[in-house]
Amino acid sequence: IVIAMRRKIMDKDTQELYDYLMDYEIATEKEICLVCSINGTNLDSLESILYSRTGYRDLEQIKDMEEDY
């Protein structure tokens, strides 16, 4: 429930990355909530999760890699 309230204040890029993390099961909602409660609900926090789990720096890098394949 907390992340749902925070999601309302996210900008478009942050929402897109949040959805990607959830849709591809890169992180659970609880994990995202924990990181965001420590570091703030922002793109940098979600990109930290993405990098920690996948090695990709941002969603754009993933999109570029998908285009190459």
Side-chain angles (χ1 to χ4, degrees):
I1 256 178
V2 174
I3 199 70
M5 292 186 303
R6 290 181 182 179
R7 197 172 186 284
K8 292 179 182 180
I9 63 168
M10 292 180 192
D11 63 32
K12 181 183 171 200
D13 292 337
T14 305
Q15 285 182 8
E16 183 180 12
L17 182 51
Y18 172 83
D19 290 341
Y20 187 89
L21 293 172
M22 294 295 294
D23 291 347
Y24 287 90
E25 299 179 354
I26 294 169
T28 66
E29 187 172 1
K30 286 183 180 182
E31 292 168 332
I32 294 170
C33 188
L34 176 62
V35 171
C36 289
S37 69
I38 294 168
N39 297 330
T41 304
N42 55 56
L43 188 59
D44 287 341
S45 294
L46 298 184
E47 286 177 342
S48 294
I49 295 170
L50 181 69
Y51 181 73
S52 176
R53 291 291 176 90
T54 68
Y56 292 108
R57 295 280 178 193
D58 55 35
L59 199 50
E60 191 65 33
Q61 187 180 17
I62 292 174
K63 290 177 182 179
D64 290 343
M65 293 299 292
E66 288 174 350
E67 288 175 4
D68 291 343
Y69 291 104

